[in-house]
Amino acid sequence: MSTPEIGELEAQEARLVLPRFTYEDAWTLGTLLVRLARERDAPVAIDIRRGAQQLFHCALPGSSADNDAWIDRKRRVVERYGASSFLVGARFRAKGTTFEASSRLDPDRYAAHGGSFPVAVEGAGVIGSVTVSGLPQAEDHAMVVEALERLLSSYGSGDDG
């Protein structure tokens, strides 16, 4: 899997703005991610938050407590920067440095690695995050993007994703 460029990552965030994000939407998104992961035998943990509240969490076979720690670290980057953890890391690399070297944030608490994506709602901005951990970072990121694309398309169709 190729690493997306900054422009592509920014376009994903601009495109994946939801009309709403309810508890039911969190459940739909979470179960969609579980279905995608099971289809691919992906050993991931999944976390969905709105503000400080965890709305969904699932750990699939092959994942571990380390994945939960990665989720927390990647999610904190989204909360702090309002952008995907993958995009934040890419922006630092584009400046010829790394997140770890230049952010001045504790690497035990923050990780700008792919897999956490902002949940943005029209008219409200970033209100939460969806995070996957367990695959290489580009694959974690791509799984979240695919699920958000399916959720967004379901709003117009009446489908549940």
Side-chain angles (χ1 to χ4, degrees):
M1 173 167 288
S2 65
T3 301
E5 298 292 325
I6 289 175
E8 182 181 347
L9 295 169
E10 290 173 340
Q12 289 170 347
E13 290 187 23
R15 185 178 73 247
L16 296 172
V17 176
L18 306 174
R20 65 173 191 269
F21 194 67
T22 65
Y23 290 96
E24 187 63 32
D25 295 324
W27 176 258
T28 299
L29 179 59
T31 55
L32 175 56
L33 280 162
V34 169
R35 189 167 61 238
L36 290 172
R38 285 183 173 155
E39 287 170 1
R40 298 164 190 178
D41 293 319
V44 298
I46 300 160
D47 182 81
I48 300 173
R49 305 235 173 186
R50 186 173 61 199
Q53 185 179 21
Q54 184 179 54
L55 302 181
F56 186 94
H57 185 85
C58 180
L60 294 173
S63 67
S64 71
D66 286 343
N67 297 114
D68 293 328
W70 274 100
I71 282 171
D72 288 342
R73 292 169 61 217
K74 294 190 281 189
R75 175 184 46 81
R76 285 186 191 105
V77 168
V78 172
E79 291 169 352
R80 185 167 186 113
Y81 290 88
S84 76
S85 53
F86 208 22
L87 175 57
V88 171
R91 286 176 173 161
F92 276 90
R93 288 187 297 278
K95 293 176 187 174
T97 186
T98 65
F99 178 81
E100 295 78 11
S102 298
S103 71
R104 301 175 56 121
L105 296 171
D106 182 351
D108 289 336
R109 295 189 43 81
Y110 294 87
H113 294 261
S116 192
F117 201 93
V119 173
V121 174
E122 293 171 7
V126 175
I127 56 103
S129 62
V130 53
T131 311
V132 168
S133 175
L135 302 171
Q137 66 174 330
E139 293 176 39
D140 281 345
H141 178 85
M143 185 178 288
V144 171
V145 167
E146 181 180 348
L148 282 168
E149 287 171 338
R150 289 186 187 192
L151 178 65
L152 186 59
S153 69
S154 76
Y155 286 124
S157 69
D159 186 11
D160 68 350

